[in-house]
Amino acid sequence: MPSNEGNLDGILHALQILRPMVPTYLHLLVSALVPIYAGAHASLTRPSSAAKPEKYKKKKTLQGNDIEDEPEAESESQIEGLNASDAIWFPLLAGCTLGGLYLIIKWLEDPALLNKILNWYFAIFGIVGVAEMFKDSLNVMVSYILPSKYFYDGQIWKFDEVKKVAVSQTDPAITRQSPLPGRLSLLSLPSPVIHLLWTFRSSQSTLCIRANLHRRGRIHIHIPPTTIFSMVFGLAIVLYYNLVARPWYLTNILGFAFAYNALQLISPSTSWTGSLILSSLFCYDIYFVFFTPLMVTVATKLDIPAKLLFPRPSSPNSTGPQLSMLGLGDVVLPGMM
């Protein structure tokens, strides 16, 4: 009995010590799983058996003019399939890159210049990555709040932005005045709010840029409003990160964007190939973390958005806030499986 009581006291003492770190571990777990879940779903493509999207259609603007609508984009991700030879090349190339960065850091002594160069290098991909992630998030939210059609009360309803009504596809004579779908259409909203929602709904059509090139033909470029907003958002995030300050949450936004897009670009061709790649990188991690100073030196000296950061309780001897770190490779590589 005394032995069991001692073991129980030891367990309770360990849990008491661990308790302040629980929010950090939960934050770390959620932050690792969210980009994996989102990236995996975003990488899904249209099955070959699915119906093809509709082609060009004519529709009227709010002024009553006929315009040629853009075709619905058939987004098919170009996924790079990995093979067994990549299980050899991945750790070799990663080791060479790590060793090169380590030598540059030792040669420069002060890695400030290297940090600046690498951060602006990542900024190029960061703008596109953040814009793509933000655009997809906006499209999902808009599809729920302002869909083009919805099912409610046993009928399919389709919105007519010109007449500002939702028309029943069963009986076109039946209409609804609300710009919101489903049960949200039952909300009693003030007239200015309804007008604003209809205006916002009608603005969801893409911005079409047409140009005539001399002896080259005509160019039609369709830019959705969500793409414009997303590019502005991505540019603002990257400029603030590189010119003003680098708080941990901006580092995580850029890290989420890199992981989200990377998971849409690479995938093991088979489970065996993925297991082989993960096993080789597992050995790579053990060697460079525990048997050489390369990994720790590069990870601590370089302040680049290739990691996720999490606030954690400060130790008694610390002078400022402390952060835990998780490398993007630890998210993307297991996530591609």
Side-chain angles (χ1 to χ4, degrees):
M1 288 296 294
S3 176
N4 291 337
E5 290 179 359
N7 292 336
L8 183 59
D9 290 340
I11 293 174
L12 292 176
H13 180 67
L15 291 176
Q16 190 66 25
I17 296 175
L18 184 64
R19 184 179 177 182
M21 294 296 296
V22 170
T24 301
Y25 294 146
L26 290 177
H27 188 183
L28 186 150
L29 182 63
V30 172
S31 298
L33 292 179
V34 166
I36 292 175
Y37 179 85
H41 278 264
S43 66
L44 296 176
T45 57
R46 183 188 300 273
S48 58
S49 58
K52 299 298 180 183
E54 295 181 6
K55 299 301 180 182
Y56 289 89
K57 299 182 290 185
K58 293 284 186 178
K59 72 175 183 181
K60 289 184 177 293
T61 62
L62 295 177
Q63 291 75 26
N65 302 322
D66 285 331
I67 61 170
E68 188 181 59
D69 192 15
E70 73 280 356
E72 182 183 344
E74 189 171 0
S75 58
E76 293 188 2
S77 303
Q78 299 297 323
I79 298 179
E80 180 69 25
L82 304 177
N83 51 51
S85 63
D86 292 316
I88 300 175
W89 284 109
F90 264 45
L92 287 178
L93 293 176
C96 291
T97 303
L98 188 67
L101 290 173
Y102 177 81
L103 292 176
I104 293 174
I105 290 171
K106 289 299 183 181
W107 178 63
L108 290 175
E109 295 184 356
D110 183 7
L113 177 61
L114 181 60
N115 273 320
K116 185 174 293 187
I117 294 173
L118 289 177
N119 273 295
W120 282 109
Y121 172 77
F122 275 97
I124 300 172
F125 302 100
I127 295 173
V128 179
V130 172
E132 183 69 20
M133 182 179 67
F134 189 64
K135 182 195 73 174
D136 290 348
S137 301
L138 284 178
N139 287 336
V140 171
M141 289 188 289
V142 169
S143 69
Y144 278 103
I145 301 173
L146 297 174
S148 59
K149 60 179 67 175
Y150 66 93
F151 181 81
Y152 183 70
D153 199 18
Q155 301 181 70
I156 296 177
W157 301 83
K158 186 174 182 179
F159 289 100
D160 187 334
E161 285 83 5
V162 177
K163 297 180 180 180
K164 295 185 178 181
V165 293
V167 182
S168 171
Q169 300 299 287
T170 305
D171 185 357
I174 304 176
T175 60
R176 310 181 78 173
Q177 303 299 319
S178 176
L180 298 175
R183 295 186 179 275
L184 294 177
S185 62
L186 302 178
L187 296 175
S188 179
L189 301 174
S191 298
V193 175
I194 293 177
H195 178 73
L196 181 64
L197 288 173
W198 277 115
T199 303
F200 182 77
R201 176 180 283 282
S202 62
S203 68
Q204 293 305 300
S205 57
T206 61
L207 173 66
C208 181
I209 300 176
R210 293 183 172 90
N212 293 323
L213 299 180
H214 182 60
R215 296 180 181 179
R216 298 286 184 179
R218 302 173 65 186
I219 295 178
H220 294 256
I221 302 175
H222 299 277
I223 306 176
T226 51
T227 300
I228 299 174
F229 296 149
S230 301
M231 289 300 294
V232 173
F233 180 76
L235 182 62
I237 289 290
V238 169
L239 289 179
Y240 187 91
Y241 183 84
N242 282 280
L243 299 178
V244 182
R246 296 174 184 172
W248 65 267
Y249 50 85
L250 287 189
T251 301
N252 286 3
I253 289 176
L254 291 169
F256 287 156
F258 292 138
Y260 174 78
N261 287 277
L263 288 169
Q264 299 178 58
L265 297 177
I266 58 173
S267 176
S269 51
T270 63
S271 297
W272 166 249
T273 301
S275 301
L276 195 61
I277 292 173
L278 290 180
S279 299
S280 63
L281 290 174
F282 177 69
C283 298
Y284 157 86
D285 260 353
I286 290 176
Y287 176 73
F288 282 104
V289 171
F290 295 105
F291 295 96
T292 71
L294 276 68
M295 183 75 77
V296 175
T297 301
V298 172
T300 54
K301 294 292 185 180
L302 295 185
D303 184 17
I304 57 177
K307 56 195 174 188
L308 301 179
L309 300 176
F310 312 96
R312 67 175 185 179
S314 300
S315 60
N317 298 326
S318 63
T319 57
Q322 290 188 311
L323 298 170
S324 296
M325 181 180 66
L326 179 66
L328 285 187
D330 297 325
V331 177
V332 175
L333 293 171
M336 70 182 182
M337 291 290 287

Coordinates of all heavy atoms in Angstrom, one line a residue, residues 42-101:
A42 N -8.4 20.3 -49.9 CA -8.2 21.2 -51.0 C -7.6 20.5 -52.2 O -7.7 20.9 -53.3 CB -7.4 22.4 -50.6
S43 N -6.8 19.4 -51.9 CA -6.1 18.6 -53.0 C -7.1 17.7 -53.7 O -6.6 17.1 -54.7 CB -5.0 17.8 -52.4 OG -5.5 16.8 -51.5
L44 N -8.3 17.5 -53.2 CA -9.2 16.6 -53.9 C -9.6 17.2 -55.3 O -9.8 18.4 -55.5 CB -10.5 16.5 -53.1 CG -10.4 15.8 -51.7 CD1 -11.7 15.8 -51.0 CD2 -9.9 14.4 -51.9
T45 N -9.7 16.3 -56.3 CA -10.0 16.7 -57.7 C -11.4 16.1 -58.1 O -11.9 15.2 -57.5 CB -8.9 16.3 -58.6 OG1 -8.8 14.9 -58.6 CG2 -7.6 16.9 -58.3
R46 N -11.9 16.7 -59.2 CA -13.2 16.2 -59.7 C -13.0 14.8 -60.2 O -12.1 14.5 -61.1 CB -13.6 17.1 -60.8 CG -15.0 16.8 -61.4 CD -15.3 17.6 -62.7 NE -15.3 19.0 -62.3 CZ -16.3 19.7 -61.9 NH1 -17.5 19.0 -61.7 NH2 -16.3 20.9 -61.6
P47 N -13.8 13.8 -59.8 CA -13.7 12.5 -60.3 C -14.0 12.4 -61.8 O -14.8 13.3 -62.3 CB -14.8 11.7 -59.5 CG -15.1 12.5 -58.3 CD -14.8 14.0 -58.7
S48 N -13.4 11.5 -62.5 CA -13.7 11.4 -63.9 C -15.1 11.0 -64.2 O -15.6 11.3 -65.3 CB -12.7 10.3 -64.5 OG -13.0 9.0 -63.9
S49 N -15.8 10.4 -63.3 CA -17.2 10.1 -63.5 C -18.2 11.2 -63.3 O -19.4 11.1 -63.6 CB -17.6 8.9 -62.6 OG -17.4 9.2 -61.2
A50 N -17.7 12.3 -62.7 CA -18.6 13.4 -62.4 C -18.9 14.2 -63.6 O -18.2 14.2 -64.6 CB -17.9 14.3 -61.3
A51 N -20.1 14.9 -63.6 CA -20.5 15.7 -64.7 C -19.6 16.9 -64.8 O -19.1 17.5 -63.9 CB -22.0 16.2 -64.5
K52 N -19.4 17.3 -66.1 CA -18.5 18.4 -66.4 C -19.2 19.7 -66.1 O -20.4 19.8 -66.2 CB -18.1 18.4 -67.8 CG -17.3 17.2 -68.3 CD -16.0 17.0 -67.5 CE -15.2 15.8 -67.9 NZ -14.0 15.7 -67.1
P53 N -18.5 20.8 -65.7 CA -19.1 22.1 -65.4 C -19.7 22.7 -66.7 O -19.3 22.4 -67.8 CB -18.0 22.9 -64.9 CG -16.8 22.3 -65.4 CD -17.0 20.8 -65.5
E54 N -20.7 23.5 -66.5 CA -21.3 24.2 -67.6 C -20.3 25.1 -68.3 O -19.5 25.7 -67.7 CB -22.6 25.0 -67.2 CG -23.7 24.1 -66.6 CD -24.9 24.9 -66.2 OE1 -24.9 26.1 -66.5 OE2 -25.8 24.3 -65.7
K55 N -20.5 25.3 -69.6 CA -19.6 26.1 -70.4 C -20.2 27.6 -70.4 O -21.0 27.9 -69.5 CB -19.5 25.6 -71.8 CG -18.9 24.2 -71.9 CD -17.5 24.2 -71.3 CE -16.9 22.8 -71.3 NZ -15.6 22.7 -70.7
Y56 N -19.7 28.3 -71.4 CA -20.1 29.8 -71.4 C -21.6 29.9 -71.4 O -22.3 29.2 -72.1 CB -19.5 30.4 -72.6 CG -18.0 30.6 -72.6 CD1 -17.2 29.6 -73.0 CD2 -17.5 31.8 -72.0 CE1 -15.8 29.8 -72.9 CE2 -16.1 31.9 -72.0 CZ -15.3 30.9 -72.4 OH -13.9 31.1 -72.4
K57 N -22.1 30.9 -70.7 CA -23.5 31.2 -70.7 C -23.7 32.7 -70.8 O -22.8 33.5 -70.6 CB -24.2 30.8 -69.3 CG -24.1 29.3 -69.0 CD -24.8 29.0 -67.7 CE -24.0 29.5 -66.6 NZ -24.5 29.1 -65.3
K58 N -24.9 33.1 -71.2 CA -25.2 34.5 -71.3 C -25.9 34.9 -70.0 O -26.8 34.2 -69.6 CB -26.1 34.8 -72.5 CG -25.4 34.6 -73.9 CD -24.5 35.7 -74.2 CE -23.9 35.6 -75.6 NZ -23.0 36.7 -75.9
K59 N -25.6 36.1 -69.5 CA -26.4 36.6 -68.4 C -26.5 38.1 -68.4 O -25.7 38.7 -69.2 CB -25.7 36.1 -67.0 CG -24.4 36.8 -66.7 CD -24.0 36.4 -65.3 CE -22.7 37.2 -64.9 NZ -22.2 36.8 -63.6
K60 N -27.4 38.6 -67.7 CA -27.6 40.1 -67.8 C -27.0 40.7 -66.6 O -26.9 40.2 -65.5 CB -29.1 40.4 -67.8 CG -29.8 40.0 -69.1 CD -31.3 40.4 -69.0 CE -32.0 40.1 -70.4 NZ -31.4 41.0 -71.4
T61 N -26.5 41.9 -66.8 CA -25.9 42.7 -65.8 C -27.1 43.5 -65.1 O -28.2 43.4 -65.5 CB -24.9 43.8 -66.3 OG1 -25.6 44.6 -67.2 CG2 -23.8 43.1 -67.0
L62 N -26.7 44.2 -64.0 CA -27.8 45.0 -63.3 C -28.3 46.1 -64.2 O -29.4 46.6 -64.0 CB -27.2 45.6 -62.1 CG -26.7 44.6 -61.0 CD1 -26.1 45.3 -59.8 CD2 -27.9 43.7 -60.5
Q63 N -27.6 46.5 -65.2 CA -28.1 47.5 -66.2 C -28.9 46.9 -67.3 O -29.4 47.6 -68.2 CB -27.0 48.3 -66.8 CG -26.3 49.2 -65.8 CD -25.4 48.5 -64.8 OE1 -24.9 47.4 -65.1 NE2 -25.2 49.0 -63.6
G64 N -29.0 45.6 -67.3 CA -29.8 44.9 -68.4 C -29.1 44.5 -69.6 O -29.7 44.1 -70.6
N65 N -27.7 44.7 -69.6 CA -27.0 44.4 -70.8 C -26.6 42.9 -70.8 O -26.3 42.4 -69.7 CB -25.7 45.2 -70.9 CG -26.0 46.7 -70.9 OD1 -27.0 47.1 -71.5 ND2 -25.2 47.5 -70.2
D66 N -26.5 42.3 -72.0 CA -26.1 40.9 -72.0 C -24.6 40.9 -72.1 O -23.9 41.6 -72.8 CB -26.6 40.2 -73.3 CG -28.1 39.9 -73.2 OD1 -28.5 39.6 -72.1 OD2 -28.8 39.9 -74.2
I67 N -24.0 40.0 -71.2 CA -22.5 39.8 -71.3 C -22.3 38.3 -71.3 O -23.1 37.5 -70.9 CB -21.8 40.4 -70.0 CG1 -22.4 39.8 -68.7 CG2 -22.0 41.9 -70.0 CD1 -21.6 40.2 -67.5
E68 N -21.1 38.0 -71.8 CA -20.7 36.6 -71.8 C -20.0 36.2 -70.5 O -19.0 36.8 -70.1 CB -19.7 36.4 -73.0 CG -19.4 34.9 -73.2 CD -18.4 34.7 -74.4 OE1 -17.3 35.3 -74.3 OE2 -18.8 34.1 -75.4
D69 N -20.7 35.3 -69.8 CA -20.2 34.9 -68.5 C -19.0 34.0 -68.7 O -18.8 33.3 -69.7 CB -21.3 34.1 -67.8 CG -20.9 34.0 -66.3 OD1 -20.0 34.7 -65.8 OD2 -21.6 33.2 -65.6
E70 N -18.1 34.0 -67.7 CA -16.9 33.2 -67.7 C -17.3 31.7 -67.4 O -18.2 31.5 -66.7 CB -15.9 33.7 -66.7 CG -16.2 33.4 -65.3 CD -17.2 34.4 -64.7 OE1 -17.6 35.3 -65.5 OE2 -17.7 34.2 -63.6
P71 N -16.6 30.7 -67.9 CA -16.8 29.4 -67.5 C -16.4 29.1 -66.1 O -15.5 29.7 -65.6 CB -16.0 28.5 -68.5 CG -14.8 29.5 -68.8 CD -15.4 30.9 -68.8
E72 N -17.1 28.2 -65.5 CA -16.7 27.8 -64.1 C -15.4 27.1 -64.2 O -15.1 26.2 -64.9 CB -17.8 26.8 -63.6 CG -17.5 26.4 -62.1 CD -18.5 25.4 -61.6 OE1 -19.6 25.3 -62.2 OE2 -18.2 24.8 -60.6
A73 N -14.5 27.6 -63.4 CA -13.1 27.1 -63.4 C -13.1 25.6 -62.9 O -13.7 25.3 -61.8 CB -12.2 27.9 -62.5
E74 N -12.5 24.8 -63.6 CA -12.3 23.4 -63.2 C -11.0 23.2 -62.5 O -10.0 23.0 -63.2 CB -12.5 22.5 -64.4 CG -12.6 21.0 -64.0 CD -13.0 20.2 -65.2 OE1 -13.1 20.7 -66.3 OE2 -13.1 19.0 -65.0
S75 N -11.0 23.4 -61.2 CA -9.7 23.4 -60.5 C -9.2 22.0 -60.3 O -9.8 21.3 -59.5 CB -9.9 24.2 -59.2 OG -10.9 23.5 -58.4
E76 N -8.1 21.7 -60.9 CA -7.5 20.4 -60.8 C -6.1 20.6 -60.3 O -5.3 21.2 -61.1 CB -7.6 19.6 -62.1 CG -9.0 19.2 -62.5 CD -9.0 18.2 -63.6 OE1 -7.9 17.9 -64.1 OE2 -10.1 17.9 -64.1
S77 N -5.8 20.2 -59.2 CA -4.4 20.4 -58.6 C -3.4 19.5 -59.4 O -3.7 18.3 -59.6 CB -4.4 20.1 -57.1 OG -5.3 20.9 -56.4
Q78 N -2.3 20.1 -59.7 CA -1.2 19.3 -60.4 C -0.4 18.7 -59.3 O 0.6 19.4 -58.8 CB -0.4 20.2 -61.3 CG -1.3 20.7 -62.4 CD -1.8 19.7 -63.4 OE1 -1.2 18.7 -63.6 NE2 -3.1 19.9 -63.8
I79 N -0.7 17.5 -58.8 CA 0.0 16.9 -57.7 C 1.3 16.2 -58.2 O 1.2 15.4 -59.2 CB -0.9 15.9 -56.9 CG1 -2.1 16.7 -56.3 CG2 -0.1 15.2 -55.8 CD1 -3.1 15.8 -55.6
E80 N 2.4 16.4 -57.5 CA 3.6 15.7 -57.9 C 3.7 14.4 -57.1 O 3.8 14.4 -55.9 CB 4.8 16.6 -57.5 CG 6.2 16.0 -57.8 CD 6.5 16.0 -59.3 OE1 5.9 16.7 -60.0 OE2 7.3 15.1 -59.7
G81 N 3.7 13.3 -57.9 CA 3.8 12.0 -57.3 C 5.2 11.6 -56.9 O 6.1 11.8 -57.7
L82 N 5.4 11.2 -55.7 CA 6.7 10.8 -55.2 C 6.9 9.3 -55.4 O 6.0 8.5 -55.4 CB 6.9 11.1 -53.7 CG 6.7 12.6 -53.3 CD1 6.8 12.8 -51.8 CD2 7.6 13.5 -54.1
N83 N 8.2 8.9 -55.7 CA 8.5 7.5 -55.9 C 9.6 7.0 -54.9 O 10.1 7.8 -54.1 CB 8.9 7.2 -57.3 CG 10.0 8.2 -57.8 OD1 11.0 8.3 -57.1 ND2 9.8 8.8 -58.9
A84 N 10.0 5.8 -55.0 CA 10.9 5.2 -54.0 C 12.2 5.9 -54.0 O 12.9 6.0 -52.9 CB 11.0 3.7 -54.2
S85 N 12.7 6.4 -55.1 CA 14.0 7.0 -55.2 C 14.0 8.3 -54.4 O 15.1 8.8 -53.9 CB 14.4 7.3 -56.6 OG 13.5 8.2 -57.2
D86 N 12.9 8.9 -54.2 CA 12.8 10.2 -53.4 C 13.2 9.9 -51.9 O 13.6 10.8 -51.2 CB 11.4 10.8 -53.5 CG 11.1 11.3 -54.9 OD1 12.0 12.0 -55.4 OD2 10.0 11.1 -55.4
A87 N 13.0 8.6 -51.5 CA 13.4 8.3 -50.1 C 14.9 8.4 -49.9 O 15.4 8.6 -48.8 CB 13.0 6.8 -49.8
I88 N 15.7 8.4 -51.0 CA 17.1 8.6 -50.9 C 17.4 10.0 -51.1 O 18.3 10.6 -50.4 CB 17.8 7.7 -52.0 CG1 17.5 6.2 -51.7 CG2 19.3 8.0 -52.0 CD1 18.1 5.3 -52.8
W89 N 16.8 10.7 -52.1 CA 17.1 12.0 -52.4 C 16.7 13.0 -51.4 O 17.3 14.0 -51.1 CB 16.5 12.4 -53.8 CG 17.2 11.8 -54.9 CD1 16.8 10.8 -55.8 CD2 18.6 12.2 -55.4 NE1 17.8 10.6 -56.7 CE2 18.9 11.4 -56.5 CE3 19.5 13.1 -54.9 CZ2 20.1 11.5 -57.2 CZ3 20.7 13.2 -55.6 CH2 21.0 12.4 -56.7
F90 N 15.5 12.8 -50.7 CA 15.0 13.7 -49.7 C 16.0 14.0 -48.6 O 16.4 15.1 -48.3 CB 13.7 13.2 -49.2 CG 12.5 13.8 -49.8 CD1 12.4 13.9 -51.2 CD2 11.4 14.3 -49.1 CE1 11.3 14.5 -51.8 CE2 10.3 14.8 -49.7 CZ 10.3 14.9 -51.1
P91 N 16.5 12.9 -47.9 CA 17.4 13.2 -46.8 C 18.8 13.7 -47.3 O 19.4 14.5 -46.6 CB 17.6 11.8 -46.1 CG 17.1 10.8 -47.1 CD 16.1 11.5 -47.9
L92 N 19.2 13.3 -48.5 CA 20.5 13.8 -49.0 C 20.4 15.3 -49.3 O 21.3 16.1 -48.9 CB 20.9 13.0 -50.3 CG 21.4 11.6 -50.1 CD1 21.7 10.9 -51.5 CD2 22.6 11.6 -49.2
L93 N 19.4 15.7 -50.1 CA 19.2 17.1 -50.4 C 19.0 18.0 -49.1 O 19.5 19.1 -49.0 CB 18.1 17.3 -51.4 CG 18.3 16.7 -52.8 CD1 17.1 16.9 -53.6 CD2 19.5 17.4 -53.4
A94 N 18.2 17.4 -48.2 CA 18.0 18.2 -47.0 C 19.2 18.3 -46.1 O 19.5 19.4 -45.6 CB 16.9 17.4 -46.1
G95 N 20.1 17.2 -46.1 CA 21.3 17.3 -45.4 C 22.3 18.3 -46.0 O 23.0 19.1 -45.3
C96 N 22.3 18.3 -47.4 CA 23.2 19.3 -48.0 C 22.8 20.7 -47.8 O 23.6 21.6 -47.5 CB 23.2 19.0 -49.5 SG 24.1 17.5 -50.0
T97 N 21.5 21.0 -47.8 CA 20.9 22.3 -47.6 C 21.2 22.7 -46.1 O 21.7 23.8 -45.9 CB 19.4 22.3 -47.8 OG1 19.2 21.9 -49.2 CG2 18.9 23.7 -47.6
L98 N 21.0 21.8 -45.2 CA 21.2 22.1 -43.8 C 22.7 22.4 -43.5 O 23.1 23.3 -42.8 CB 20.8 20.9 -42.9 CG 20.8 21.1 -41.4 CD1 19.7 22.1 -41.0 CD2 20.5 19.8 -40.7
G99 N 23.6 21.5 -44.1 CA 25.0 21.8 -44.0 C 25.5 23.1 -44.6 O 26.3 23.8 -44.0
G100 N 24.9 23.4 -45.7 CA 25.3 24.7 -46.4 C 24.8 25.9 -45.5 O 25.6 26.9 -45.4
L101 N 23.6 25.9 -45.0 CA 23.2 26.9 -44.1 C 24.0 27.0 -42.9 O 24.3 28.2 -42.4 CB 21.7 26.7 -43.7 CG 20.7 26.9 -44.9 CD1 19.3 26.5 -44.4 CD2 20.7 28.4 -45.4

